């Protein structure tokens, strides 16, 4: 597993507040029916775009194809973004993020993962960066992910290259936190994936969510899996990394304020 940064912080981010209200942030989320979205799709008011992917190798999240796929919303999970992919017979299939049979997959596995890539408008810090996902189908991480549902994976991509984290890595790094418990009637549950818990202090350009072929303990997952969905990314709340020129201007402005303040203090003393 390749690290994005040589510096790794053992600290964890505090638990975020409930984010269910985010599911109603876009007018497109007001309907319960599945809505097909443009490729890529930019949620209203956000600083990132979402691109649907198919034919990903679930062991590495490599080999992804954007052609033939597009994002959707509200499939099995109100307010959740999923993937509409093209199967081997050329038919369009509404799905989420999960495993599906793919006879044309080059990985030799005869199955692939759909996925969603979240591309930020500019490089951001991993500090405080997390993704909200839903529909994992349970509320207790004392055991591994259920082999009958889905296990998430993530690739975090920065200036130094990608870092891939399996379902086992996510659990081992305590990077998954329950936000709202599973409701068996509505079949909803919300979770937070803490990117900083995985990569430490690092710069991030984009992240890709996929589905693992194994659960956290290594058991083989059911195919096709019951998929999960992306609800939101909090990229707008991250500490942005200023450009070198901007950092110089900020420093210069600060020094200027200090000089002006000292001159004013001297003038007041002289006037006395």
């Amino acid at each position: 597993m390749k690290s994005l940064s040589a510096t790794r912080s053992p600290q964890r981010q505090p638990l975020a507040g409930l984010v269910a209200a985010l599911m109603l942030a876009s007018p497109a989320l007001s309907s319960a029916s599945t809505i097909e979205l443009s490729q890529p799709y930019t949620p209203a008011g956000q600083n990132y775009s979402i691109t649907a992917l198919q034919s990903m190798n679930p062991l590495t999240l490599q080999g992804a194809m954007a052609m033939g796929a597009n994002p959707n919303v509200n499939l099995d999970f109100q307010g959740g973004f999923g993937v509409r992919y093209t199967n081997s017979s050329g038919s369009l299939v509404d799905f989420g993020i999960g495993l599906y049979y793919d006879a044309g997959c080059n990985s030799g596995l005869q199955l692939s993962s759909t996925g969603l890539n979240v591309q930020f408008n500019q490089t951001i810090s991993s500090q405080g960066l997390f993704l909200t996902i839903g529909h994992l189908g349970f509320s207790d991480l004392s055991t591994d992910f259920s082999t009958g549902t889905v296990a998430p994976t993530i690739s975090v991509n920065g200036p130094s290259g990608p870092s891939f984290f399996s379902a086992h890595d996510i659990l081992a790094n305590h990077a998954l936190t329950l936000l709202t418990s599973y409701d068996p009637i509505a079949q909803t549950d919300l979770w937070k994936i803490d990117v900083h818990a995985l990569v430490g202090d690092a710069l991030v350009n984009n992240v890709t969510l996929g589905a693992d072929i194994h659960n956290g303990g290594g058991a083989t997952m059911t195919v096709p899996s019951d998929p999960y969905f992306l609800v939101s990314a909090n990229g707008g709340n991250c500490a942005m990394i200023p450009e070198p020129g901007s950092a110089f201007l900020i420093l210069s402005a600060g020094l200027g304020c200090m000089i002006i303040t000292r001159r004013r203090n001297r003038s007041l003393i002289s006037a006395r």
Side-chain angles (χ1 to χ4, degrees):
M1 182 176 64
K2 181 179 178 182
S3 174
L4 280 177
S5 172
T7 303
R8 180 176 180 83
S9 170
Q11 297 179 348
R12 297 289 181 260
Q13 295 297 320
L15 177 64
L18 299 181
V19 294
L22 292 175
M23 296 193 297
L24 302 177
S26 169
L29 306 185
S30 59
S31 173
S33 60
T34 303
I35 299 173
E36 305 305 323
L37 303 172
S38 60
Q39 171 90 305
Y41 174 74
T42 301
Q46 300 299 325
N47 72 330
Y48 59 84
S49 61
I50 301 171
T51 299
L53 303 171
Q54 65 178 71
S55 301
M56 289 197 301
N57 184 332
L59 298 176
T60 62
L61 296 192
Q62 299 298 310
M65 295 179 56
M67 183 177 295
N70 64 273
N72 61 28
V73 69
N74 292 344
L75 174 70
D76 295 336
F77 191 86
Q78 180 70 11
F81 295 102
V83 178
R84 188 191 199 198
Y85 70 92
T86 303
N87 64 17
S88 56
S89 64
S91 300
L92 295 173
V93 180
D94 273 315
F95 199 50
I97 304 173
L99 300 172
Y100 68 100
Y101 290 108
D102 183 5
C105 183
N106 294 324
S107 64
L109 299 171
Q110 298 300 298
L111 60 91
S112 291
S113 171
T114 54
L116 288 177
N117 175 262
V118 179
Q119 176 70 50
F120 298 101
N121 294 347
Q122 67 180 87
T123 300
I124 62 174
S125 170
S126 62
Q127 285 278 358
L129 173 59
F130 63 85
L131 307 174
T132 301
I133 62 174
H135 201 62
L136 293 184
F138 61 102
S139 301
D140 184 8
L141 276 179
S142 61
T143 58
D144 295 326
F145 296 101
S146 169
T147 56
T149 53
V150 70
T153 57
I154 184 171
S155 177
V156 184
N157 307 289
S160 60
S163 281
F164 170 77
F165 299 92
S166 66
H168 172 78
D169 297 327
I170 292 174
L171 293 180
N173 286 278
H174 306 286
L176 190 66
T177 303
L178 179 67
L179 295 177
T180 61
S181 298
Y182 176 69
D183 183 334
I185 297 177
Q187 295 188 4
T188 57
D189 51 280
L190 287 174
W191 299 82
K192 177 185 77 172
I193 297 181
D194 188 341
V195 175
H196 184 264
L198 294 171
V199 301
D201 295 330
L203 302 181
V204 179
N205 294 327
N206 62 84
V207 298
T208 298
L209 291 170
D212 204 334
I213 194 172
H214 297 122
N215 70 357
T220 302
M221 303 298 285
T222 299
V223 182
S225 62
D226 188 11
Y228 72 98
F229 301 88
L230 169 68
V231 176
S232 66
N234 75 324
N237 297 327
C238 293
M240 297 300 175
I241 306 301
E243 298 295 330
S246 301
F248 176 76
L249 291 175
I250 294 171
L251 177 60
S252 299
L255 291 174
C257 290
M258 292 174 63
I259 293 172
I260 293 172
T261 301
R262 288 183 177 179
R263 286 179 177 174
R264 286 179 178 174
N265 290 338
R266 288 176 180 176
S267 298
L268 290 174
I269 293 174
S270 300
R272 293 178 183 175

